[in-house]
């Protein structure tokens, strides 16, 4: 047990962070049918913003400020890069996302000079605690709980409110959704608000553990989170969360078993196997196209 | 009709010969900035991989992001097979007795001399393609059943797996683990006496491959691919075997990606797995989309533009001080022609639209074109300037802004889904039609 | 007595609990024009999908020109759910993909037009010839098949002439008016050189005028191409005009079959489908 | 009242509407007939904002609709059953009907209207839980019409509502149109089945290649020789 | 093409006042090695500020630096090198990170431009590349040095070795370390590598603890190093961590600060050495750094003198020496002259080995990161 526990803890913690990021992917995908490649970079920007904000102001101001700024950035990205392309071919929107990711990365690179910035220590949540004989920081324990609470809240929001139904309608057919009176732009903005907000929260938890922020640091967790979303069946929020935890925990155990060379490869391998068995992910709706 | 075809063939052949001659000239003239050669070489290699990706994404409608992985396979296959035996101990220093202890190009050179090198390179490039194709075939069985984005992410993942595999220590004696492979036959080896052929060769190799892809696309199989792209259900109902044709397209595309990987290895003169990341695939995808999904000439044009921008024309943005006159004029001329060309192309493409529709496009094109031109002119007349904002990294910021502008304002790419000859042809046809209509009216 | 081209035997198609086609038996003989009619959701399109291999039936089999081309029996998940009859009569699975069936000589059109949108009319028809090419990838790429290619192109041009589509040969297929698009779909199906042509609501979206033209047209192609035609339609003028025989489907079951006169006077059909005054 | 003046619409270079003027008086059934590609659907799409007008005006209760976004047009009391059904394929039948009532907030009223749609199309009630994408063509058509009905609009625009429906249901559909019209809803109807449409309509316009070439009451056009020849087919009379 | 361009470039330097000689600076300004690369550029710029001209054939040439960013990756390095060639430089300095140097070597070689590596320690940089030289020691030396240090200082029997998958510097150094540690010193080791982009090292640290390692050897880029250190500290790991020269960076100091984790690295010189050329260099360089805020930022926000800056300083001077000896701006002449270089540099006396092109060096300096500063521990050489 004492051998396994630390790996399990770190797996759950990383998994929770993946989960928070992957919700952003899955929601945007659910509605725009777009892999928002810039999402991982928005996550990184949130980290950098925190670096700068925490240098000049106390935490109780900087933390909410960073979340708000990240949300603004997320919505801005949508308005600039995706909204003008509503009627364009899907591939163009995808490219726009990749371009946006490039732009964010390169701008951060330019501003930071490509060097690692030290992430501020957030009091309380980065304190060390002792769980079952292993030392770990409090954030490790907080992450999964926070994730699950946020997700339950989100699922309720989407299931029980009109905006949830509007999102599902818009995801297939913008025009017809509009013909029902849905304000598609607001719905999309809402999606980005939620996604970016969660990415900002995720970034705080993530960087508290990992100390430094570089312009490309978001790329890998971004990709993993996306894989988590696909894994769970893209478009499904619970799927994304479960996918995130599975990937986080598997990764942690693989490293524990010293197959580190293949820890990333394993993630992707698992993905391919799952998709081979269930082509739309664990919880993805299988689309029957009637002919 | 027949005569027309013959004439067209002759014209094409003429263009090709002139192009090759110009390339040889460029390669050997002292006044040519080496950066131009870099752009030409890398551009034509990227053109091949972009075309191969276009075959899959643009013509068959299979959204795959595995290109970097197949290039990696090609590059490694090529490199491993061509490293001269004597260099192998030094290169595989971490893996004692590493290396294959033979080199195809070397053996053939020993037998046939210079000509043997060429044959060896061709053989190894084909093997490079074949290895990539083999892997594509294997992975194609499970993943090609997946729909759009699921396929994309599965292939992206597969490429990452390949990268990890190549770096696997147990394979070190062949792949040299995570270390560089170098010292193999590269473009600089192509030389007759003092005549450099380092730029002509990639054009020949890539050109031949692209030509084959074009032939394929215009054949009955190519048409079947397009049918699958447009409507799978209808395609299947009309007797096109989806699994077979999708796999065919995937394998062929990977084959050429593998070859372009081999060419890239030759161009870089070294290979390392870390460079074949998903970012590389994204770059290629950018090229494909900027050029126009479903347009071969678009992909080719965009490759040169992309490589030119990222490697050369924008480089001055990275330096606080601007370089001195050497090669400057040439670069300015090239980029001015490119800018004016693209602006003209855009205008021409939009010529039919009402002014209200194209107003934004026109203004933006003009502004961007003017800014770029002004930048070039300033660059040309300044001897050594300290400019604000310019420092390392600025180039990439501007570059990504340029990409965003391209994507937002020309969401169908430079060429849409048309080809350059089509555009010219259409114009001629339109003229002819007009003339004949005029005749009818009288 | 002419031999039957198509025979559907005890075919049942069940989606979860919904039985879309219920123990259907029908035959289409060589050279006939046979219609399948019935209320919305009766299972007509589903029947077509079973015949052309889009769905494997839950139970039953399909014969084409005397060969059993499709066969299935309830197994796996379906075993528990299956509500139909003849359970246990079949024990083999033969489930070719639609392309294989098309190759055998059966071609269809779709209820919702499915033309290849970026292709011209001519290309749409030419692509459908792909399944009849004998060239492999290599010979096709390097144009070693130019003779065959030339022949196919000529055949397509001829087909377009017969279908009176030569005027729009080089237009984008999807830019045409509805009526012509339907005709392109039929031309495309004919290009696969079928023996049996399946048309799913060919007159949908056409005005009476166009429907009349289509009626004449279907008769013409049957004679020209020596085809057998099996069609689904809600326009009764067309159905009654050209059908040799009619099958009526309701809630997945065949409720009547016979000549147009018989069907028109069948009370059950009138109640379920036609209504009192036939105005449509 | 919907009043359209000198409306021009183009797709790229193709001119689909070339200066159309027409009126849809309150409480009336107005039908547009015309050959394939005449521009009928374009007309409806322009009114609802799916397509931008090049020039001209569309006044709805004295409010200009040209330039408004789709959701604003819909919010002003217009509903549309578009060409090609366009049901939300991965939502259930019930959810589709709820989407129709997206802008309404009276829960009881919505439930009542949904029940009414189920009465009109019993087939839909049976299929209540089924994903709309797997419905048969005709069932989808019923759903599209039903969805437009649940929004309780002042003006309902139907684009070929009888397409793909069985003869019996076609008769029903026209009965339904008359019925909802009686409750005060204005109807703008497009039909290929010109015969039935003219019989049902108070007012009718004939559209040919983007121009209105004839207009009059339904009964007038029904006996018009030109109309008979071009749109009613040989079987009638 | 290449050689033509180079010749035209070096012959056609048209400065307004006197003639210009271009020296290419081939360093990463971004990417994993960005921080180190910037420090090397600073050393070169400082050296140029001290020696801005060179006399050739009685004419005074102004030295102009042409700085390019190779972005720490081998593919970008190729085009960066080509840019230098096309700019017509006479000599190239760099790069931090051997991979980039190896990748670019053929390009400099075929353009006949000599290159002087500063801190690239992989033997393959100069092996079989007659135009590549270097002023630092090499990994086959550095690896064993650290192994010996582990043995001498901590009586280590077990080492946990952690490198990044796909990074040649780390894995090479690790190999030499492992060989020495196991074969010569009789210890045992367990090696693992993490994939690029890893940011969670807790599992690796647990593995090291579970293995019962006496020391951890973790040569890696500083971006990862800081994560490894801070996460080890957070996990309460007490095992000393050793690494190679790249760790002598303020990033490491920041990461170690506030914890009692012991972090050691080998380096090329001792900045606190109070005697000789080194002392003068350190004093001057600090003043120069402090004179400009940008320089301080590039140096990592403080005025600690990195060994790589000293090495690049030496590399510049080595190049200048060679140019003087060659009395020519032509690459091939300078290349020949390299072997005759013989002078007292900051990091020790420099002569070039005629077989390999490497500087002859025999000692390494071990330093410990200790709450915000590097503490000199000892000089270390390899046990015979
Ligand atoms: N999206 C589009 N792009 C280009 N042209 C279009 C588009 N939609 C319609 N058109 C053209 O506009 C004209 C009018 O089309 P519209 O759909 O309004 O006709 P309609 O009268 O509704 O015909 P139908 O009876 O077939 O529905 C046609 O010529 C058609 O080809
Ligand atoms: N994939 C499916 N899943 C569940 N139910 C289905 C599926 N496909 C069809 N159905 C149901 O099966 C029944 C038959 O559908 P089908 O499309 O065959 O009807 P149809 O006779 O063609 O009707 P129409 O004339 O309206 O086109 C319908 O009630 C439909 O809802
Ligand atoms: Mg049907
Ligand atoms: Mg219409």
């Amino acid at each position: 047990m004492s051998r396994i526990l630390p790996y399990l803890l770190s797996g759950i913690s990383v998994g929770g962070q993946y989960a928070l990021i992957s919700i952003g992917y899955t929601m945007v995908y659910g509605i725009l049918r777009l892999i928002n490649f810039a999402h991982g970079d928005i996550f990184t920007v949130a980290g950098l913003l925190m670096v700068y904000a925490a240098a000049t102001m106390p935490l109780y101001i900087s933390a909410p400020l960073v979340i708000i700024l990240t949300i603004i950035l997320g919505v801005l990205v949508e308005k600039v890069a995706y909204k003008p392309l509503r009627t364009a071919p899907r591939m163009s929107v995808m490219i726009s996302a990749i371009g946006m990711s490039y732009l964010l990365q390169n701008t951060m690179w330019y501003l930071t000079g490509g060097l690692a910035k030290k992430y501020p220590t957030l009091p309380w949540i980065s304190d060390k605690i002792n769980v079952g004989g292993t030392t770990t920081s409090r954030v490790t324990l907080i992450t999964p709980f926070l994730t699950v609470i946020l997700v339950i809240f989100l699922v309720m929001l989407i299931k029980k409110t009109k905006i949830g139904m509007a999102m599902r309608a818009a995801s297939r057919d913008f025009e017809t959704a509009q013909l029902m009176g849905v304000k598609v732009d607001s719905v999309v903005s809402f999606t980005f608000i939620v996604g970016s907000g969660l990415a900002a929260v995720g970034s705080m938890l993530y960087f508290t553990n990992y100390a430094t922020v570089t312009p490309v640091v978001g790329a890998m967790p971004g990709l993993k989170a996306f894989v988590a979303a696909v894994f769970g069946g893209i478009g499904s929020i619970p799927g994304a969360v479960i996918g995130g935890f599975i990937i986080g925990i598997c990764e942690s155990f693989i490293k524990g078993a010293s197959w580190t060379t293949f820890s990333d490869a394993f993630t992707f391998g698992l993905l391919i196997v799952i998709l081979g068995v269930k082509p739309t992910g664990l919880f993805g709706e299988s689309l029957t196209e009637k002919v | 009709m027949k005569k027309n075809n013959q004439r067209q063939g002759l014209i094409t052949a003429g263009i090709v010969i002139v192009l090759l001659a110009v390339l040889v000239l460029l390669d050997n003239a002292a006044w040519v900035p080496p950066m131009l050669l870099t752009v030409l070489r890398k551009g034509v290699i990227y053109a091949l991989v972009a075309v191969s990706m276009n075959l899959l994404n643009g013509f068959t409608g299979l959204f795959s992001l595995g290109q970097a992985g197949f290039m990696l396979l090609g590059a490694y296959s090529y490199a491993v097979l061509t490293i001269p035996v004597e260099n192998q101990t030094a290169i595989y220093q971490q893996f004692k007795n590493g290396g294959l202890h033979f080199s195809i190009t070397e053996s053939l050179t020993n037998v046939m001399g210079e000509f043997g090198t060429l044959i060896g390179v061709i053989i190894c490039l084909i093997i490079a393609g074949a290895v990539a194709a083999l892997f594509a075939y294997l992975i194609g069985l499970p993943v090609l059943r997946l729909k759009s984005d699921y396929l994309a992410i599965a292939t992206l993942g597969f490429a990452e797996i390949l990268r990890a595999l190549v770096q696997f220590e147990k394979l070190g004696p062949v792949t040299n683990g995570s270390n560089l492979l170098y010292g193999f036959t590269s473009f600089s080896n192509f030389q007759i006496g003092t005549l450099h052929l380092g730029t002509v060769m990639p054009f020949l190799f890539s050109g031949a491959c692209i030509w084959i892809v074009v032939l394929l696309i215009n054949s009955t199989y190519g048409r079947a691919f397009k049918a699958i792209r447009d409507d799978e259900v209808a395609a299947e109902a009309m007797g096109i075997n989806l699994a077979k044709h999708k796999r065919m397209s995937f394998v062929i595309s990977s084959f050429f990606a593998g070859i372009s990987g081999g060419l890239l290895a030759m161009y870089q003169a070294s290979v390392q797995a870390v460079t074949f990341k998903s970012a590389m695939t994204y770059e290629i995808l950018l090229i494909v989309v900027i050029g126009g999904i479903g347009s071969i000439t678009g992909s080719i044009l965009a490759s040169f533009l992309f490589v030119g921008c990222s490697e050369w024309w924008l480089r001055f943005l990275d330096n606080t001080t601007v370089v001195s006159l050497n090669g400057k004029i040439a670069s300015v001329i090239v980029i001015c022609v490119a800018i004016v060309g693209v602006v003209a192309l855009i205008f021409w493409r939009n010529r039919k639209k009402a002014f209200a529709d194209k107003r934004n496009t026109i203004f933006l094109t003009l502004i961007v074109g003017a800014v770029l031109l002004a930048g070039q002119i300033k660059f040309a007349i300044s001897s050594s300037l300290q400019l604000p904002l310019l420092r390392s990294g600025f180039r990439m910021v501007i570059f990504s802004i340029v990409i965003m502008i391209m994507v937002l304002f020309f969401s169908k790419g430079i060429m849409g889904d048309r080809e350059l000859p089509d555009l010219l042809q259409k114009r001629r046809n339109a003229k002819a039609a007009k003339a004949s209509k005029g005749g009818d009216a009288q | 007595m002419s031999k039957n081209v198509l025979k559907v035997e005890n075919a049942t198609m069940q989606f979860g609990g919904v039985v879309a086609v219920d123990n259907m038996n029908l035959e289409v003989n060589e050279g006939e024009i046979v219609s399948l009619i019935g209320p919305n959701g009766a299972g007509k399109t589903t029947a077509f999908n079973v015949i052309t291999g889009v769905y494997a039936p839950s139970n039953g089999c399909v014969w084409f020109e005397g060969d059993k081309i499709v066969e299935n029996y309830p197994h796996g998940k379906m075993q528990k759910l299956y509500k139909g009859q003849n359970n246990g009569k079949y024990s083999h699975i033969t489930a070719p993909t639609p392309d294989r069936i098309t190759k055998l000589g059966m071609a269809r059109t779709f209820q919702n037009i499915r033309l290849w949108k970026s292709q011209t009319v001519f290309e749409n028809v030419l692509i459908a010839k792909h399944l009849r090419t004998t060239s492999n990838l290599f010979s096709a790429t390097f144009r070693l098949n130019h003779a065959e290619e030339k022949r196919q192109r000529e055949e397509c041009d001829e087909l377009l002439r017969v279908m009176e589509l030569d005027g729009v040969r080089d237009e984008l297929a999807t830019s045409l008016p509805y009526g012509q698009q339907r005709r392109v779909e039929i031309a495309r199906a004919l290009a696969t050189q079928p023996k049996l042509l399946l048309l799913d609501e060919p007159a949908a979206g056409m005005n009476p005028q166009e429907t009349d033209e289509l009626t004449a047209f279907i008769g013409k192609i049957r004679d020209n191409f020596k085809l057998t035609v099996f069609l689904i339609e809600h326009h009764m003028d067309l159905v009654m005009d050209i059908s040799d025989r009619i099958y009526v489907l309701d809630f997945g079951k065949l409720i009547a079959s016979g000549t147009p006169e018989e069907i028109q006077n069948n009370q059950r059909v009138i109640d379920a489908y036609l209504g009192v005054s036939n105005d449509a | 009242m919907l009043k359209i003046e000198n409306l021009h619409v183009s797709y790229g270079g193709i001119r689909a509407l070339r200066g159309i003027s027409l009126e849809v008086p309150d409480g009336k059934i107005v039908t547009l007939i015309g050959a394939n590609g005449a521009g009928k659907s374009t007309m409806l799409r322009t009114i609802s904002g799916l397509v931008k007008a090049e020039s001209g005006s569309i006044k709805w209760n004295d409010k200009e609709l040209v330039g408004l976004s789709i959701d604003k047009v819909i919010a002003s009391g217009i509903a549309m059953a578009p060409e090609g059904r366009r049901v939300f394929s991965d939502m259930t039948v019930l959810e589709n009907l709820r989407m129709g009532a997206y802008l309404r907030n009276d829960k009881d009223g919505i439930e009542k209207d949904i029940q009414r749609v189920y009465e009109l199309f019993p087939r839909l009630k049976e299929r209540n839980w089924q994903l709309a994408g797997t419905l048969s063509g005709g069932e989808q058509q019923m759903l599209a019409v039903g969805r437009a009905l649940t929004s309780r609009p002042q003006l309902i625009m139907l684009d070929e509502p009888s397409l793909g429906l069985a003869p019996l249901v076609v008769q029903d559909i026209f009965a339904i149109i008359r019925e909802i019209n009686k409750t005060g809803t204005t109807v703008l109807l497009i039909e290929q089945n010109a015969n039935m449409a003219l019989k049902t309509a108070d007012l009718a316009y004939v559209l040919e290649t983007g121009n209105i070439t004839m207009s009059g009451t339904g009964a007038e056009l029904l006996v018009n020789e030109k109309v008979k020849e071009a749109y009613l087919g040989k079987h009638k009379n | 093409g290449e050689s033509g361009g180079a010749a035209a470039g070096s012959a056609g330097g048209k400065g307004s006042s006197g003639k210009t000689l271009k020296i290419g600076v081939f360093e990463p300004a971004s990417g994993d090695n960005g921080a180190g690369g910037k420090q090397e550029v600073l050393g070169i710029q400082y050296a140029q500020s001290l020696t801005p001209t060179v006399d050739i054939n009685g004419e005074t040439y102004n030295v102009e630096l042409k700085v390019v960013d190779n972005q720490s990756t081998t593919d970008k390095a190729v085009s960066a090198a080509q840019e230098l060639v096309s700019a017509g430089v006479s000599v190239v300095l760099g790069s931090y990170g051997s991979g980039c140097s190896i990748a670019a070597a053929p390009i400099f070689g075929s353009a006949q431009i000599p290159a002087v590596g500063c801190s690239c320690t992989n033997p393959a940089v100069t092996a079989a590349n007659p135009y590549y030289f270097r002023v630092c020691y090499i990994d086959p030396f550095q690896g064993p040095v650290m192994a010996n240090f582990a043995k001498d200082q901590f009586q280590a029997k077990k080492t946990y070795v952690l490198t990044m998958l796909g990074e040649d510097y780390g894995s090479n150094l690790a190999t030499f370390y492992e060989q020495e540690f196991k074969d010569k010193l009789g210890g045992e080791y367990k090696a693992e590598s993490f994939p690029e982009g890893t940011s969670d090292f807790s599992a690796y640290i647990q593995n090291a603890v579970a293995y019962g390692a006496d020391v951890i050897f973790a040569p890696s880029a500083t971006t990862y190093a800081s994560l490894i250190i801070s996460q080890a500290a957070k996990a309460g790991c007490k095992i000393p961590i050793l690494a190679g020269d790249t760790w002598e960076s303020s990033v490491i100091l920041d990461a170690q600060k506030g914890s009692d984790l012991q972090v050691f690295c080998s380096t090329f010189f001792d900045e606190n050495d109070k005697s000789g050329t080194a002392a003068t260099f350190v004093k001057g360089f600090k003043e120069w750094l402090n004179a400009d805020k940008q320089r301080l930022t590039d140096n990592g926000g403080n005025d600690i003198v990195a060994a790589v800056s000293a090495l690049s300083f030496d590399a510049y001077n080595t190049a200048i020496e060679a140019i003087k000896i060659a009395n020519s701006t032509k690459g091939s002449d300078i290349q020949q002259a390299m072997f005759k270089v013989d002078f007292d540099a900051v990091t020790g006396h420099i002569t070039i080995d005629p077989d390999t092109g490497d500087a002859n060096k025999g000692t390494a300096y071990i330093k410990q990161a200790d709450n915000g500063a590097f503490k000199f521990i000892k000089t270390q050489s390899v046990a015979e």
Side-chain angles (χ1 to χ4, degrees), chain E residues 281-349:
Chain E
F281 165 74
V282 169
K283 186 160 166 285
F285 189 54
K286 282 198 175 183
E287 273 168 20
W288 183 80
L289 281 179
N290 283 313
D292 188 331
K293 252 179 94 181
Q294 185 59 42
R295 291 175 196 156
L296 273 179
T297 321
D298 285 352
N299 198 41
N302 54 38
D303 66 352
I304 298 168
V305 181
V308 292
S309 303
L311 281 174
S312 63
F313 182 86
D314 284 353
Y316 179 88
N317 286 328
T318 308
I320 295 288
E321 285 294 316
I323 293 169
K324 278 190 206 153
I325 296 168
N327 214 4
S328 156
T329 58
K330 216 171 136 213
S332 48
D333 296 343
I334 301 173
Q335 186 244 1
Q336 285 308 314
M338 280 287 175
F339 297 103
K340 300 186 192 119
V341 167
D342 185 350
F343 75 111
D344 256 331
V346 175
T347 59
H349 195 81

Side-chain angles (χ1 to χ4, degrees), chain A residues 3 6-7 10 14 109 112-116 118 126 128 135-137 206 208-212 214 217 220-221 252 255-264, chain E residues 29-31 34-35 38 165 190 192-204 206-207 210 223 226-227 230-231 233-236 251 254-255 297-298:
Chain A
R3 284 279 282 119
Y7 296 115
S10 91
V14 180
W109 201 306
T112 61
L115 300 178
K118 195 164 161 47
S126 46
K128 262 181 262 179
T135 330
T136 174
S137 51
Y206 187 87
T208 302
N209 256 359
Y210 309 131
T212 52
T214 62
V217 73
M220 232 337 151
S252 184
K255 286 176 187 164
S258 301
W259 294 331
T260 46
T261 317
F262 288 105
S263 76
D264 282 356
Chain E
S30 50
K38 282 187 172 161
L165 181 64
K190 174 188 174 86
E192 284 197 88
S193 49
F194 57 89
E196 191 186 7
T198 301
S199 46
D200 176 13
F201 288 94
S202 39
Y204 301 101
Q206 283 152 21
N207 288 350
T223 32
S226 64
L227 294 176
S230 53
Q231 285 170 36
K234 226 172 237 164
V251 180
D254 286 344
T297 321
D298 285 352

Side-chain angles (χ1 to χ4, degrees), chain B residues 21 23-29 114 187-201, chain E residues 1:
Chain B
L23 285 171
V24 174
L25 187 74
L26 285 178
D27 222 353
N28 293 282
E114 300 274 288
F187 290 142
S188 53
N189 293 42
F190 292 114
Q191 206 164 342
I192 303 177
T194 55
L195 192 70
H196 298 274
L197 296 174
T199 309
V200 186
M201 292 325 268

Side-chain angles (χ1 to χ4, degrees), chain C residues 14-30:
Chain C
Q14 203 173 322
F15 300 102
V18 179
V19 187
V21 172
D22 197 354
N23 200 36
M24 184 167 79
N25 284 286
L26 57 78
E27 282 177 26
V28 178
N29 298 323
E30 200 170 306

Side-chain angles (χ1 to χ4, degrees), chain B residues 85-94 176 182, chain E residues 124 127-128:
Chain B
V85 178
E86 46 165 346
N87 291 0
Q88 289 185 359
T89 20
I91 292 167
Y92 290 95
Q93 51 174 335
Q94 268 199 55
N176 205 15
Y182 54 93

